């Protein structure tokens, strides 16, 4: 919210018109801010769920929450962090930063962009509304049938999950098409593909994964929904169905999804490291290609999530081998990052600390990943806390730290003010220590025999102390996030004014004022090199005032109306009311037509 | 739409190709499921007992013909031929509707012969797959009719040929998907 | 810019603390790091190979990271660093190096995968393992034994578990015996092992299976062949004859047999006692008193715990399929007395 202030205040607009302008905005920067703020709130909710989980597990035999509540909490923690926090936090950067990095005035389809955001918001609210009905999803974020079939989960819980995820899928897909086209088509003259900043490149790979992976989970979810609502037999063994169908479809989506979560953070790190090493990224092309390769190979490894299901030794071996292969491009990225700093001048500003933390922690997560890429060894690891440790090293140590690096790095661009360095460092170190306290013991907790997703454990296991350490670590992370929030609040008033380029960075977004004017670039830049601000061949300066008037599209309320139609349809499905679904469908159709025919020049 | 783009391609067209790529995965998942579950139903009716290949061959032919009409519609719009653009747009939508009529007839017939979406795995996978395809055809028909209305409103000149081209891309894609479904479900039993 | 030693020390210190806790803690009865069967050793050997390789890589790469950020930290008055953009030879080197290391992971992995694929030699003891929400059923076709939660196996004889599920997906995991495999409806997975030391080895369900997933424990009792033979003899012995029951136990038997309304409140609707009832939804109770624990390894099998369980199973195991049938204290006492006789 703090970020929006400057621009709006200038107009001295009334509250109503401010709200209306945000509701109808099609400006990628505002949508980026909406994504960021919304996702951060969901991040806090997911974090709160994690803290309750850790409090429950602080010692054996605890009864802080019931088994039922615990199962809801870990299901929602996973679902929230993946779909409502990490993905949309990345989306906030896609929205805000990518057009600036490629020298564009907006995304290719500004209204579709607004639509994506509203659908995401409604989907997230729908999922979390389940708590109000005491029926939060409780089948795990992976929702394996037949546990999630009507017979074993008769309540609304799984309905919320199945429908919520489909809604969120629409948001992701719409954004995916938009950004693929934006990056390919809206590059400024001279911005060749191999001049794109690595963050933009990783965004492109991510969006390709989104548009190919989400249809697969949509199909799996539709089957489950049909089974639950209409009595089809997709996941019914009695009818001859196979429960592994879901697992294959889910992980066919689920593994690319892992890269959807991590690649943007890798992109951010690849921007931050050169800036604070005062040296260009080492092996730019290799870093780009390894990202592409990770994206492509991500499609060939899904069954490594299924080593215990009994696929047979041949399939197990094949998926072990493909999974190990992915370690190679990942390793290559890490070595290139190290080489970027080699011989540089490493400045320990907050974004850099988070980027370094990313590398340090991602190495651990990557190595534990190699450990369970080994199908046989994985039989002792899968579904234990060892895997919980692994995913948190890659998703917290990796994705979240990468995102925080991005927040500190681009905050001055977005708000015009630098965040407080001292608070930033407190945030980093507390979170770094907390993270290692929380997640490092989990490796041992798992190897010493604690399965995942258990609401309580026996004192006989001897794991009380390690679990307590882990819980303390989790609360340290919680405190570090509070410091971050305080930093945001502090920066709003007292933050040092940033100017165009506080970091003396290389890429295009730093050539324009902070925050950027609504039109971004007063003239569309002519790009002459990969590092426009560092290169010897200087690009033409961008004038402060546009030399000629710039046409900017006005807002549109049809995206939010159309998104609302989808929400009504989803609510109708939850209520099993055909009439409500049809009503929502009608709103959707009206929205699409009005949208298609309203005068809106990009 | 004469905007500068880095590739020279119109953004909407590019987006549509991305969309088609995404749709391939959607239908790919549905078709794979159909194949995985083929022959696993614990009770009938089986595909052999119920599928009417001659009938569906006719509807397939109708749908393929509609693709030809679509090509002619685009050509007519591009050269600003109002009459023939209307004729061919209408023909495409009409042939699409005929296909949908065949499908409605087929579904009704199957239900009468005891195959519903809940009867067995074949029913579940068959109706979901062909139903999803049918829904795509229905959206296409509505889209074409919208273009037809725009044409009658005089808002579909050669400058709007791209709108028709994108609708055509969609329509041809849906046709190609049907050829795959027809082959997998009906021909290779 | 001054370098942050204090927090770094804190971070390293915290990791050391964890290592210390692991090294000095324990015993860890459910640890995967202390195998006791050929299956467990095979996985453990593989894990150790990978672990040391991973540790080596970890030390090298993290040291490199620390070296780089210390050595190349910005100092005032430095000239701008050279604009290096890459080096093909280096790229090739650090593409190949991980590939080579991974070969040392891949080869033993594939060997072990084939070695531990669940095939067992001729003459192995076959046991059907059926997962239920939330308990384990074991059937020994060779002896005609049906029992629950406590798996008895002889030391030194190959055993093959044939896993399936009566309801949702479960996963059989006794870490000291070996890795886990899922128990899936209408599928059969196999785990083969030969246990090499006598003892009681804890385990539990590893695949999230609903409300009381955490309460789905199991125990593997590895016995000398004579002890195992004695156990088999006891399990295959006919149940306690009715005329030898005491008055209290006889009343318990009547409670057990009583058909209640609704029928699901009757003991015999779900539980089998040989010669008396044939229920299959709950554990077979023919020799329930011979087991060390009740409620899938949750509680020691004694009169007090049995009584608690009978009073309200859901209070002990949330979501338990066994209803609280509202028995009086007297009735419970009688039932417990009867059940305790089923040795």
């Amino acid at each position: 919210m703090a970020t929006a202030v400057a621009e709006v205040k200038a107009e001295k607009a009334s509250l109503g018109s401010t709200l209306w302008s945000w509701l109808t905005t099609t400006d990628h920067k505002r949508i980026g801010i909406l994504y960021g703020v919304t996702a951060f709130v969901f991040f806090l909710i997911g974090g709160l769920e994690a803290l309750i989980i850790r409090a429950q597990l602080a010692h054996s035999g605890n009864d802080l929450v019931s088994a039922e509540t615990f199962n809801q909490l870990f299901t929602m923690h996973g679902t929230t962090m993946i779909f409502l926090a990490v993905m949309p936090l990345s989306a906030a950067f896609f929205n805000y930063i990518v057009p600036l990095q490629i020298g564009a005035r907006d995304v290719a389809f500004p209204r579709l962009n607004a639509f994506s955001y509203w659908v995401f918001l409604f989907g997230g609210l729908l999922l979390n509304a389940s708590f109000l009905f005491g029926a939060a999803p409780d089948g795990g974020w992976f929702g394996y049938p037949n546990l999630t079939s009507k017979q074993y989960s008769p309540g609304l819980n799984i309905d919320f999950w199945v429908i919520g995820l489909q809604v969120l899928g629409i948001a992701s897909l719409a954004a995916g098409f938009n950004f693929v086209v934006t990056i390919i088509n809206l590059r400024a003259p001279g911005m060749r593909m191999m001049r794109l900043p690595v963050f933009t490149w990783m965004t492109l790979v991510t969006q390709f994964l989104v548009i190919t992976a989400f249809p697969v989970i949509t199909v799996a979810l539709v089957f489950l929904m049909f089974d639950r609502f209409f009595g089809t037999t997709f996941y019914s063994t009695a009818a001859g169905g196979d429960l592994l169908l879901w697992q294959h479809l889910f992980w066919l989506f689920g593994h690319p999804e892992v890269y959807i979560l991590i690649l943007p953070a890798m992109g951010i790190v690849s921007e931050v490291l050169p800036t604070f090493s005062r040296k260009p990224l080492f092996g730019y092309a290799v870093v780009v290609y390894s990202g592409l390769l990770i994206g492509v190979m991500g499609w060939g490894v899904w069954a490594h999530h299924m080593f215990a299901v009994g696929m047979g030794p041949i399939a197990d071996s094949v998926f072990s081998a493909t999974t190990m292969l992915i370690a190679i491009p990942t390793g290559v990225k890490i070595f290139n990052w190290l080489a970027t700093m080699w011989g540089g001048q490493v400045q320990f500003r907050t974004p850099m600390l988070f980027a370094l933390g990313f590398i340090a922690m991602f190495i651990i997560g990557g190595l534990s990943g190699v450990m369970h890429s080994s199908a046989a060894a994985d039989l002792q690891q899968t579904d234990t806390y060892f895997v919980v440790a692994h995913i948190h090293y890659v998703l917290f140590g990796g994705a979240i730290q990468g995102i925080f690096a991005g927040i500190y790095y681009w905050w001055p661009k977005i708000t015009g003010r630098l965040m407080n360095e001292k608070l930033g460092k407190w945030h980093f170190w507390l979170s770094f220590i907390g993270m290692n306290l929380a997640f490092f013991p989990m490796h041992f907790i798992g190897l010493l025999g604690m399965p995942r997703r258990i609401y309580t454990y026996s004192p006989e296991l001897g794991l009380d102390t390690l679990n307590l350490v882990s819980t303390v670590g989790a609360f340290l992370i919680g405190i570090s996030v509070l410091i971050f929030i305080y930093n945001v609040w502090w920066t709003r008033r007292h933050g040092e004014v940033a100017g165009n380029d506080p970091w003396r960075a290389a890429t295009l977004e730093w050539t324009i004022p902070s925050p950027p004017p609504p039109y971004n670039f007063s003239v569309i830049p002519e790009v002459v090199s990969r590092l426009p601000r560092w290169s010897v061949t200087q690009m033409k300066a961008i004038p402060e005032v546009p030399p000629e008037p710039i046409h900017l599209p006005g807002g549109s309320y049809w995206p939010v109306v159309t998104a609302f139609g989808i929400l009504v349809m989803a609510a109708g499905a939850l209520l099993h009311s055909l009439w409500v679904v049809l009503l929502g469908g009608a709103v959707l159709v009206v929205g699409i037509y009005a949208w298609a025919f309203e005068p809106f020049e990009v | 739409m004469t905007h500068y783009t880095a590739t020279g391609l119109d953004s909407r067209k590019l987006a549509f190709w991305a969309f088609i790529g995404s749709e391939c995965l959607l239908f790919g998942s549905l078709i794979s499921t159909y194949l995985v579950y083929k022959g696993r139903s614990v009770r009938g009716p089986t595909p052999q007992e119920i599928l009417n290949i001659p009938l569906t061959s006719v509807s397939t032919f109708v749908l393929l013909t509609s693709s030809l009409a679509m090509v002619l519609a685009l050509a007519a719009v591009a050269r600003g031929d109002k009459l023939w653009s209307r004729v061919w747009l209408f023909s495409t939508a009409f042939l699409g509707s005929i296909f949908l009529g065949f499908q409605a007839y087929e579904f009704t017939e199957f239900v009468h012969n005891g195959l519903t979406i809940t009867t067995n795995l074949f029913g579940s996978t068959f109706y979901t797959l062909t139903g999803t395809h049918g829904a795509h055809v229905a959206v296409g028909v509505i889209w074409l009719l919208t273009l037809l209305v725009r044409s009658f409103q005089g808002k579909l000149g050669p400058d709007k040929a791209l709108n028709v081209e994108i609708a055509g891309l969609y329509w041809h894609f849906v046709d190609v998907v049907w050829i795959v479904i027809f082959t997998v479900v009906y021909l290779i039993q | 810019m001054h370098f942050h030693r204090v927090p770094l020390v804190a971070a390293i210190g915290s990791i050391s603390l964890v290592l210390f806790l692991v090294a000095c803690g324990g015993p860890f009865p459910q640890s995967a790091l202390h195998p006791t069967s050929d299956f467990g050793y095979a996985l453990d050997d593989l894990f150790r190979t990978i672990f040391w390789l991973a540790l080596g890589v970890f030390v090298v790469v993290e040291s490199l990271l620390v070296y780089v950020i210390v050595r190349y930290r910005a100092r005032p008055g430095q000239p701008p660093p050279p604009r290096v953009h890459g080096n093909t030879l280096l790229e090739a080197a650090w593409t190949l190096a991980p590939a080579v290391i991974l070969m040392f992971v891949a080869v033993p992995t594939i060997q072990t995968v084939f070695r531990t694929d669940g095939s067992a030699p001729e003459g192995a003891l076959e046991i059907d393992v059926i997962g239920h929400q939330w308990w384990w059923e074991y059937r020994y076709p060779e002896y005609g034994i049906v029992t629950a939660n406590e798996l008895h196996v002889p030391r030194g004889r190959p055993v093959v578990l044939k896993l399936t599920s009566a309801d949702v997906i479960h996963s059989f995991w006794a870490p000291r015996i070996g890795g886990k495999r899922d128990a899936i409806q209408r599928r059969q997975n196999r785990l083969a092992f030969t246990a090499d030391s006598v003892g009681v080895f804890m385990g539990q369900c590893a695949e999230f299976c609903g409300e009381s997933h955490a309460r789905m424990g199991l125990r593997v009792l590895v016995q000398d062949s004579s002890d195992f033979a004695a156990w088999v003899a006891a399990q295959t012995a006919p149940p306690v004859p009715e005329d030898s029951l005491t008055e209290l136990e006889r009343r318990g038997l009547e409670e057990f047999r009583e058909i209640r309304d609704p029928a699901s409140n009757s003991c015999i609707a779900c539980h089998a006692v040989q010669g008396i009832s044939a229920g299959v939804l709950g554990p077979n109770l023919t020799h329930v008193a011979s087991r060390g624990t009740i409620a899938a390894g949750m509680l020691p099998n004694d009169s007090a715990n049995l009584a608690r369980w009978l009073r309200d199973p859901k209070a002990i195991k949330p979501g338990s399929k066994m209803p609280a049938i509202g028995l009086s204290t007297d009735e419970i006492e009688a039932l417990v007395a009867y059940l305790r006789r089923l040795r």
Side-chain angles (χ1 to χ4, degrees):
Chain A
M1 300 282 174
T3 52
V5 176
E7 199 181 308
V8 176
K9 207 186 276 171
E11 296 164 20
K12 287 223 184 293
S14 71
L15 182 67
S17 69
T18 308
L19 271 179
W20 182 250
S21 76
W22 281 90
L23 207 62
T24 59
T25 185
T26 52
D27 178 350
H28 72 98
K29 297 183 288 301
R30 287 184 141 205
I31 293 170
I33 289 165
L34 286 172
Y35 260 113
V37 172
T38 312
F40 191 76
V41 171
F42 283 128
F43 174 70
L44 294 180
I45 295 173
L48 201 62
E49 286 155 1
L51 291 183
I52 303 173
I53 290 171
R54 278 320 314 171
Q56 164 74 7
L57 295 175
H59 61 85
S60 55
N62 198 1
D63 58 357
L64 178 72
V65 294
S66 68
E68 192 189 354
T69 309
F70 186 89
N71 295 343
Q72 296 183 357
L73 286 172
F74 79 71
T75 301
M76 285 303 285
H77 169 69
T79 307
T80 301
M81 286 306 193
I82 289 166
F83 295 102
L84 305 180
V86 173
M87 279 182 75
L89 280 170
S90 301
F93 292 123
F94 303 158
N95 268 285
Y96 206 104
I97 302 301
V98 165
L100 303 184
Q101 283 198 329
I102 61 175
R105 291 219 163 110
D106 207 322
V107 295
F109 307 102
R111 289 176 298 172
L112 189 66
N113 202 21
F115 171 77
S116 298
Y117 167 73
W118 293 111
V119 176
F120 150 66
L121 173 69
F122 292 152
L125 292 177
L126 188 77
L127 260 175
N128 279 283
S130 61
F131 279 114
L132 305 178
F133 296 85
D138 57 358
W141 88 275
F142 50 95
Y144 280 4
N146 50 352
L147 179 60
T148 49
S149 305
K150 197 89 183 167
Q151 187 186 355
Y152 297 104
S153 294
L156 269 177
N157 314 52
I158 304 297
D159 292 343
F160 269 109
W161 186 78
V162 164
I163 290 167
L165 284 198
Q166 287 182 68
V167 172
L168 291 170
I170 295 170
S172 299
L173 281 167
F177 303 132
N178 209 342
F179 279 93
V180 165
V181 176
T182 302
I183 295 170
I184 293 179
N185 238 9
L186 263 56
R187 284 168 290 135
M191 180 61 89
R192 297 187 213 127
M193 290 306 276
M194 289 316 278
R195 281 179 180 166
L196 285 177
V198 176
F199 174 67
T200 297
W201 252 116
M202 291 307 111
T203 305
L204 182 62
V205 176
T206 302
Q207 301 301 357
F208 265 110
L209 289 176
V210 166
I211 64 176
T212 46
F214 271 79
V216 183
I217 195 185
T218 302
V219 167
L221 288 167
V222 166
F223 290 164
L224 184 57
M225 182 174 75
F226 280 13
D227 271 10
R228 292 180 61 86
F229 285 21
F230 310 126
T232 54
T233 55
F234 290 102
Y235 306 119
S236 156
T237 56
D242 190 338
L243 297 179
L244 295 191
L245 172 69
W246 168 274
Q247 298 194 16
H248 282 292
L249 289 173
F250 184 83
W251 291 117
L252 255 170
F253 150 80
H255 206 80
E257 171 69 20
V258 172
Y259 296 118
I260 291 169
L261 299 172
I262 195 69
L263 284 173
M266 288 181 160
I268 292 170
V269 168
S270 305
E271 300 293 311
V272 171
L273 284 176
T275 301
F276 296 100
S277 306
R278 314 304 311 147
K279 242 185 99 219
L281 185 68
F282 194 88
Y284 166 84
V286 180
V287 173
V288 167
Y289 288 133
S290 62
L292 266 171
L293 207 59
I294 290 174
V296 173
M297 289 163 80
W299 277 95
V301 300
W302 77 90
H304 69 212
H305 295 269
M306 300 165 61
F307 284 147
V309 306
M311 293 183 296
I314 294 172
D316 285 353
S317 300
V318 169
F319 281 100
S320 281
T322 55
T323 306
M324 288 172 197
L325 280 179
I326 277 203
I328 297 173
T330 315
V332 163
K333 271 185 185 276
I334 289 175
F335 287 121
N336 276 294
W337 289 331
L338 293 178
T340 302
M341 290 183 284
W342 190 283
Q345 293 167 5
V346 178
Q347 303 169 335
F348 298 103
R349 306 299 294 267
T350 311
M352 185 61 165
L353 287 178
F354 276 99
L356 293 172
F358 173 102
I359 299 175
M361 295 299 99
F362 194 79
I363 293 170
I364 298 179
L367 288 172
S368 59
V370 170
M371 289 183 186
H372 33 254
S373 73
S374 169
D378 187 51
L379 293 181
Q380 288 285 28
Q381 296 164 14
T382 182
D383 277 320
T384 74
Y385 263 84
F386 190 88
V387 178
V388 181
H390 164 73
I391 55 166
H392 285 92
Y393 269 92
V394 287
L395 291 187
F396 192 96
I400 293 289
Q401 284 205 103
I403 285 165
F404 272 120
I407 291 175
Y408 281 96
Y409 183 58
W410 281 308
W411 193 272
K413 178 51 58 190
I414 295 168
T415 67
R417 285 178 188 274
L418 284 153
M419 290 188 82
N420 183 300
E421 274 289 309
K422 200 170 169 190
L423 289 170
K425 280 171 185 165
W426 270 98
H427 171 202
F428 169 74
W429 282 109
L430 263 183
S431 128
F432 188 75
I433 294 166
M435 165 173 58
N436 281 294
L437 274 181
F439 304 131
F440 198 74
M442 287 181 181
H443 292 109
F444 295 100
I445 292 172
L447 290 172
L448 296 175
M450 183 154 151
R452 308 169 75 165
R453 305 173 180 125
I454 55 175
Y455 75 96
T456 186
Y457 54 97
S458 162
E460 284 176 273
L461 299 188
L463 297 173
D464 279 55
T465 320
L466 283 172
N467 270 300
L468 183 63
V469 170
S470 173
T471 301
V472 169
F475 278 86
L476 277 184
I477 297 174
I479 295 170
S480 79
V481 173
L482 292 181
I483 294 176
F484 169 75
I485 293 169
Y486 176 70
N487 197 348
V488 169
W489 187 82
W490 185 92
T491 299
R492 203 185 138 183
R493 290 280 172 72
H494 311 290
E496 188 189 327
V497 174
N500 287 12
D501 182 8
W503 311 121
R504 295 187 295 132
T507 44
L508 216 49
E509 72 268 31
W510 304 103
T511 54
I512 54 172
S514 313
Y519 47 78
N520 298 348
F521 296 90
S522 55
V523 294
I524 294 296
E526 301 257 354
V527 181
V528 290
S529 78
R530 190 165 64 71
L531 301 167
R533 296 179 58 74
W534 284 4
S535 121
V536 199
T537 27
Q538 285 293 326
M539 59 181 279
K540 257 188 278 171
I542 292 175
E544 246 172 69
V545 215
E548 49 187 291
I550 297 169
H551 166 78
L552 278 178
S556 167
Y557 47 82
W558 292 114
V560 65
V561 169
T562 312
F564 186 71
I566 290 177
L567 176 66
V568 173
M569 286 176 80
L574 266 172
L575 299 166
H576 289 254
S577 160
L578 183 61
W579 289 110
V580 178
V581 173
L582 289 176
L583 179 72
V587 175
L588 178 72
V589 169
V590 169
I592 290 174
Y593 269 89
W595 175 341
F597 296 126
E598 85 177 324
F600 188 93
E601 276 294 316
V602 185
Chain B
M1 292 279 172
T2 49
H3 279 295
Y4 166 82
T5 62
T7 57
L9 283 170
D10 184 89
S11 287
R12 286 183 300 155
K13 204 161 147 187
L14 197 62
F16 217 82
W17 279 108
F19 173 71
I20 285 176
S22 186
E23 289 270 280
C24 285
L25 271 292
L26 180 89
F27 281 106
S29 305
L30 289 167
I31 292 169
S32 306
T33 303
Y34 181 85
L35 288 174
V36 167
Y37 274 171
K38 205 157 137 178
R40 291 184 55 137
S41 297
V42 291
R43 61 194 181 108
T46 64
Q48 291 82 352
E49 286 163 13
I50 208 161
L51 293 180
N52 184 340
I53 296 176
L55 184 86
T56 314
S57 301
V58 174
S59 73
T60 304
F61 179 74
V62 169
L63 195 62
L64 289 184
T65 314
S66 78
S67 261
L68 179 66
M70 186 72 236
V71 171
L72 295 170
L74 175 59
V77 172
R79 66 173 186 267
D81 185 336
K82 278 184 191 148
L83 174 66
W84 284 102
S85 53
R86 283 165 201 169
V87 168
W88 290 123
L89 277 174
F90 176 78
S91 308
T92 315
F94 181 71
L95 291 169
S97 310
I98 301 267
F99 175 84
L100 287 174
F102 269 101
Q103 195 170 39
Y105 170 77
E106 184 191 36
F107 281 16
T108 321
E109 199 62 11
F110 286 2
V111 170
H112 281 307
N113 291 332
L115 183 77
T116 69
I117 197 166
T118 60
T119 307
N120 56 17
L121 284 181
F122 169 59
S124 295
T125 50
F126 173 82
Y127 284 113
T128 311
L129 171 58
T130 54
T132 305
H133 179 265
H136 276 76
V137 176
V139 168
V141 168
I142 294 168
W143 191 346
L144 289 165
L145 291 177
T146 308
L147 288 173
L148 189 61
V149 170
R150 297 297 278 181
S151 173
F152 279 111
Q153 289 171 337
K155 290 175 181 166
L156 200 66
D159 57 322
K160 301 282 186 198
L162 186 74
N163 292 1
V164 182
E165 194 182 338
I166 290 172
L169 266 179
Y170 176 80
W171 192 257
H172 297 314
F173 169 72
V174 170
D175 274 11
V176 170
V177 168
W178 180 253
I179 293 171
V180 177
I181 293 175
F182 181 62
T183 313
V184 167
V185 176
Y186 293 82
L187 296 184
I188 312 171
Q189 289 184 17
Chain C
M1 188 107 348
H2 115 266
F3 191 66
H4 300 260
R5 283 195 189 81
V6 180
L8 198 69
V9 169
I12 294 167
S14 57
I15 291 182
S16 315
L17 170 75
V18 171
L19 291 171
F20 174 79
L21 286 171
V22 173
C24 304
F28 302 109
Q30 206 160 293
S31 165
L33 302 173
H34 302 98
T36 180
S37 84
D38 58 340
F39 179 36
Y41 293 129
L43 302 187
D44 193 52
D45 287 347
L46 177 63
F47 175 72
R48 278 166 206 275
T49 308
I50 302 171
F51 174 78
W52 290 115
L53 283 170
L55 189 69
V57 174
F58 171 81
V59 169
V60 169
V61 184
E62 297 280 6
S63 308
L64 212 58
L65 173 65
V66 172
Y67 173 77
V68 167
I69 59 185
V70 174
R71 167 75 180 75
Y72 296 107
R73 67 187 187 278
R75 296 178 189 87
Q78 278 171 312
R83 287 278 153 86
V84 184
H85 283 275
N87 181 313
T88 314
L89 203 64
L90 271 175
E91 300 288 356
W94 58 50
T95 307
L96 279 176
V100 170
I101 295 173
L102 285 169
M103 286 305 292
F104 288 94
V105 180
V107 171
T109 290
I110 292 172
Q111 286 170 337
T112 314
V113 164
F114 279 88
R115 199 138 45 91
T116 58
D117 69 345
S119 49
E122 196 78 12
L125 171 61
E126 294 199 351
I127 306 171
D128 292 315
V129 176
I130 304 153
H132 293 260
Q133 280 182 325
W134 291 273
W135 60 282
W136 297 95
E137 181 178 356
Y138 308 124
R139 294 170 174 267
Y140 296 65
E142 187 176 327
Y143 305 115
I145 296 172
V146 180
T147 182
N149 300 324
E150 291 174 11
L151 184 76
H152 290 250
V153 296
R155 185 176 66 163
R157 178 175 170 192
V159 174
V160 58
L161 306 182
K162 294 152 88 178
L163 303 155
T164 189
S165 169
D167 38 56
V168 303
I169 303 175
H170 303 278
S171 194
F172 183 95
W173 189 38
R176 298 196 57 192
I177 299 292
K180 61 188 77 63
R181 286 241 191 254
D182 294 353
I184 307 171
Q185 240 184 23
R186 309 263 163 151
R187 274 182 168 261
Q188 194 193 71
N189 278 329
R190 295 161 74 95
L191 273 179
F193 64 90
T194 309
D196 72 351
S197 45
V198 167
V200 180
F201 303 104
M202 291 174 65
Q204 68 187 101
C205 175
E207 178 67 59
F208 179 62
C209 57
E211 193 168 354
S212 269
H213 166 53
R215 298 300 202 183
M216 192 167 163
L218 62 94
R219 277 168 167 63
V220 179
L221 289 85
V222 180
Q223 295 173 304
D224 272 329
S225 49
S226 58
D227 287 348
F228 181 72
W231 176 77
V232 169
Q235 296 293 309
T236 45
V240 54
E242 245 176 86
D243 50 15
S244 74
L245 295 177
T246 67
E247 175 53 29
L248 183 66
E249 290 159 1
R250 194 183 308 278
R251 269 183 25 229
L253 171 59
E254 275 153 27
E255 286 299 335
F256 185 80
R257 271 188 182 141
E258 189 175 330
I259 294 172
R260 297 185 178 79
D261 187 39
S264 58
N265 273 358
S266 326
C267 306
I268 56 170
C270 300
H271 294 284
V273 170
Q274 195 188 323
I276 290 172
S277 64
V280 293
L281 297 176
N284 184 306
L285 301 178
T286 307
H287 295 286
V288 64
S290 72
R291 305 206 268 264
T293 58
I294 59 166
M298 272 186 69
L299 301 169
N301 187 1
D302 58 30
S303 303
N305 283 331
L306 269 174
R308 261 179 72 198
W309 175 258
L310 288 171
R311 202 166 294 124
D312 189 2
K314 285 189 180 60
I316 295 170
K317 185 181 280 192
S320 167
K321 305 293 174 201
M322 177 159 154
I325 38 183
L327 297 170
S328 72
T329 314
D330 284 351
E331 289 164 336
I332 288 176
E333 193 193 348
L335 252 179
V336 168
Y338 171 65
L339 292 171
R340 297 290 294 160
R341 268 307 288 281
L342 299 174
R343 282 185 212 112

